[in-house]
Amino acid sequence: MNLLLPIFLILPVLARPQDQLECPSGYTLVIDKCLMVIKTPMRHLEAESACTYNGGTLVNIRDAITNRAVTQFAATAGIDKTWIGLFCFENKNTSMCYYDDNTGPILDYNSFASGYPMVDGIYGGCVYMPTTGSLAGKWVSVKCEAESIPVMCEVPVSVYDSNCAHNFNGNCYILSSELPITTAKFADARKICQDKNSDLVSIHSKREVDYIKSLYRGSKSQVLIGAQQILPNTYTWLDGYDWNTFDYRDPLDQQRTDYNCLTMDSATGLWNRASCDYEYAFLCKRPIQWSTAKPPTEVVLSPQNPSDFSNCNTTLLMTPGTITSYGYLSTSPPEPAVYCTWRIVTTGPYRVRLSFTDISTYNDIYVYNEDGTTFARVRYSQSVISPSNIVTVDFQATGRAGYKGFRAVALAY
Ligand SMILES: *[C@@H]1O[C@H](CO)[C@@H](O)[C@H](O)[C@H]1NC(C)=O
Ligand SMILES: *[C@@H]1O[C@H](CO)[C@@H](O)[C@H](O)[C@H]1NC(C)=O
């Protein structure tokens, strides 16, 4: 009889199946990461696009154990080096190297070869790791587009759920196109999601945007998402997630400001205002229950203070952020004849999407690529997308009366 009690206590625990960590097909579970090797050498931008295609990034390494496991995994897969998910913006300063998965800069552990990172001259901000030879496991920074190197992609690990067709990062996604009712108004869409133990999707990161885009690839649509405008320009997520940590609204949204719902454009991933009373395709999301340890949640880089400072002559403005001409909005007295330049950057996997939301200038605004070539001369409200994760903007105000200047919003794209 004595034995019964402990057995009774243990049984429910044993009866519950252990969480089975799940990686998407093609990926292998390595410690707590889902990794995939692409043997074909690629330039950095191509490598990043290959990884973001399904909501991933290049592999992120934060400790020695992972560094060793990644080195071994690469060597076993038959590649002698791999790009890794880091981008450095300054020479010999590891706290200016940012992880691809948006967890911020290097804090303590790094494995740079002696003298690195170097980002200028013959070097560059992209980082790779030899996996064999004397430099095996060491990190080396190089020019991003000068070298072709094999790739290791990482997507967040998830939990197996037999009832889930689209499983990503511990959540299950349900597309309305796979339900009996494929389009609905906001309130009805919500009810349909709730019937499936989910709710309209709440989107927390660029990586999640990339994953959702992958679900709709090949079918262009506006997809209703789970956010609502509660006051002018103030939104909340249905799941209570803090709106200010990730805002992917199109700064050049042309829809009516009294529309209180949002749709995501499946091609760009950007969000636009939409009427809550129109029927749209919609996306439901439910968290998959973890019964054992959950991997660390993504720490989203804090957005810039959205207040309108010009950020004139900033050498490293991280997206998301806003720049304006010096003395923006003052037409009288005339805008000061000030020259300003801005260097705007984002993490390795993305490009910078710069939306000029307001322009009233005499001179054009110049936008330069990382290598100094002009890729846009901006005169009107428009969005430009940089070829890489670094852009420079130049503006020479004339000091003439009647021009109030410009404002531009930078997002990772
Ligand atoms: C490295 O960058 C950090 C963050 O910008 C800065 O605070 C620090 O002073 C820099 N260190 C050196 C040696 O330049
Ligand atoms: C920005 O830098 C340029 C070039 O160094 C300088 O001429 C200009 O006065 C600076 N602008 C401001 C507002 O400090």
Side-chain angles (χ1 to χ4, degrees):
M1 284 308 280
N2 265 355
L3 279 174
L4 273 181
L5 187 61
I7 288 170
F8 179 76
L9 281 177
I10 289 166
L11 266 181
V13 178
L14 291 179
R16 184 168 63 182
Q18 282 286 348
D19 280 335
Q20 213 177 316
L21 295 180
E22 172 164 290
C23 290
S25 79
Y27 287 81
T28 306
L29 186 66
V30 177
I31 309 184
D32 58 351
K33 292 177 180 301
C34 295
L35 301 180
M36 175 175 69
V37 164
I38 305 174
K39 287 188 174 184
T40 317
M42 295 181 193
R43 289 164 203 258
H44 187 260
L45 206 58
E46 264 184 294
E48 293 281 18
S49 314
C51 294
T52 52
Y53 194 75
N54 294 316
T57 61
L58 288 169
V59 60
N60 300 277
I61 304 173
R62 257 180 236 87
D63 55 68
I65 294 170
T66 308
N67 202 60
R68 211 170 308 129
V70 166
T71 310
Q72 270 166 21
F73 182 65
T76 310
I79 56 175
D80 62 356
K81 51 186 153 180
T82 176
W83 286 117
I84 62 173
L86 266 181
F87 193 95
C88 299
F89 296 102
E90 263 183 30
N91 289 336
K92 297 192 178 177
N93 188 345
T94 53
S95 52
M96 293 305 293
C97 296
Y98 282 77
Y99 285 110
D100 273 11
D101 63 359
N102 224 24
T103 48
I106 288 179
L107 292 179
D108 35 38
Y109 175 79
N110 78 78
S111 182
F112 277 106
S114 133
Y116 288 94
M118 287 297 288
V119 303
D120 51 17
I122 59 165
Y123 304 99
C126 290
V127 182
Y128 78 92
M129 178 169 86
T131 61
T132 59
S134 58
L135 276 181
K138 292 290 178 194
W139 305 348
V140 177
S141 60
V142 289
K143 277 198 193 312
C144 303
E145 300 310 306
E147 310 249 357
S148 289
I149 291 175
V151 184
M152 195 182 303
C153 299
E154 168 180 345
V155 295
V157 70
S158 203
V159 189
Y160 176 73
D161 181 331
S162 58
N163 293 318
C164 180
H166 309 291
N167 185 330
F168 180 77
N169 200 17
N171 291 287
C172 187
Y173 297 79
I174 305 156
L175 285 72
S176 61
S177 57
E178 296 169 351
L179 296 173
I181 298 175
T182 58
T183 62
K185 298 174 184 172
F186 183 81
D188 298 335
R190 232 197 135 179
K191 275 198 210 95
I192 296 168
C193 289
Q194 284 167 345
D195 283 347
K196 306 229 156 261
N197 295 321
S198 62
D199 207 335
L200 278 173
V201 65
S202 164
I203 305 174
H204 303 173
S205 66
K206 175 70 171 84
R207 204 161 54 163
E208 191 171 11
V209 165
D210 292 338
Y211 175 72
I212 295 172
K213 277 167 69 175
S214 78
L215 297 176
Y216 290 92
R217 194 157 283 132
S219 67
K220 187 168 162 37
S221 43
Q222 293 293 327
V223 182
L224 201 54
I225 61 176
Q228 271 195 301
Q229 181 170 245
I230 44 162
L231 289 169
N233 219 22
T234 303
Y235 286 78
T236 55
W237 287 114
L238 295 176
D239 69 351
Y241 190 77
D242 180 5
W243 178 263
N244 293 316
T245 52
F246 182 68
D247 178 354
Y248 212 57
R249 280 178 295 161
D250 184 348
L252 294 179
D253 189 353
Q254 302 293 319
Q255 302 296 322
R256 282 168 51 169
T257 53
D258 61 346
Y259 282 174
N260 291 330
C261 285
L262 289 176
T263 51
M264 176 176 142
D265 181 309
S266 66
T268 63
L270 293 162
W271 310 336
N272 293 294
R273 288 185 291 265
S275 166
C276 301
D277 297 320
Y278 292 173
E279 293 186 357
Y280 294 100
F282 56 94
L283 180 65
C284 312
K285 172 182 174 185
R286 71 172 161 82
I288 297 170
Q289 295 305 320
W290 296 77
S291 60
T292 55
K294 197 176 155 68
T297 45
E298 189 155 359
V299 184
V300 179
L301 292 176
S302 12
Q304 309 272 327
N305 180 343
S307 63
D308 240 353
F309 43 78
S310 79
N311 281 312
C312 176
N313 285 350
T314 179
T315 54
L316 196 106
L317 177 70
M318 197 70 164
T319 64
T322 302
I323 62 171
T324 70
S325 52
Y326 198 77
Y328 171 61
L329 292 181
S330 82
T331 50
S332 161
E335 58 175 357
V338 172
Y339 171 75
C340 284
T341 170
W342 298 264
R343 186 160 168 264
I344 306 168
V345 306
T346 186
T347 50
Y350 307 122
R351 298 183 290 164
V352 180
R353 186 178 201 275
L354 206 51
S355 299
F356 291 83
T357 57
D358 190 20
I359 296 196
S360 157
T361 61
Y362 183 84
N363 284 339
D364 293 347
I365 303 151
Y366 285 81
V367 190
Y368 303 96
N369 188 2
E370 196 178 347
D371 67 9
T373 52
T374 310
F375 77 89
R377 253 177 94 162
V378 180
R379 248 165 280 199
Y380 310 105
S381 277
Q382 69 176 101
S383 292
V384 298
I385 297 163
S386 68
S388 79
N389 65 328
I390 300 179
V391 286
T392 307
V393 177
D394 249 20
F395 178 63
Q396 173 65 62
T398 57
R400 287 171 203 246
Y403 296 94
K404 65 180 161 103
F406 78 91
R407 173 178 183 272
V409 179
L411 290 177
Y413 188 73

